[in-house]
Amino acid sequence: MFCAVQLYNEPIEITETTPAGTPRTVQWRGGRLHVRGVREVWQVPGEGRLYRVGVTVDGQLGIAEIAQQGSTGTWRLRHLWV
């Protein structure tokens, strides 16, 4: 069961990627989110790329929305449903 969406908009570190460059492991708040699969990808002009991914966090399945900033290449966790 999923709770209401939570907006975080916090910096994250992508510690592992697939050969195609999509996130596989995310470091956030001292823990890890393991990406189980990419559900959707958006390219936002001037802002970068958004990924909606299935994740496992603390043994629970969830969905995360992560963003790669276009100008800096840095990553942020935008939303998390667990």
Side-chain angles (χ1 to χ4, degrees):
M1 172 183 247
F2 291 99
C3 67
V5 63
Q6 178 71 35
L7 173 64
Y8 291 100
N9 199 26
E10 295 179 7
I12 56 174
E13 180 182 348
I14 304 300
T15 55
E16 187 178 352
T17 61
T18 67
T22 58
R24 182 176 285 161
T25 306
V26 176
Q27 185 77 25
W28 175 60
R29 290 187 177 180
R32 289 182 188 252
L33 285 76
H34 299 278
V35 176
R36 300 174 51 88
V38 176
R39 294 173 173 237
E40 297 178 77
V41 180
W42 297 272
Q43 181 68 43
V44 181
E47 292 187 29
R49 192 171 285 199
L50 292 171
Y51 294 84
R52 183 165 292 162
V53 295
V55 295
T56 303
V57 55
D58 296 331
Q60 295 185 26
L61 296 178
I63 298 173
E65 191 174 277
I66 57 178
Q68 183 179 29
Q69 306 297 166
S71 60
T72 63
T74 59
W75 292 87
R76 298 186 77 77
L77 175 67
R78 300 271 302 151
H79 297 95
L80 180 63
W81 296 262
V82 183

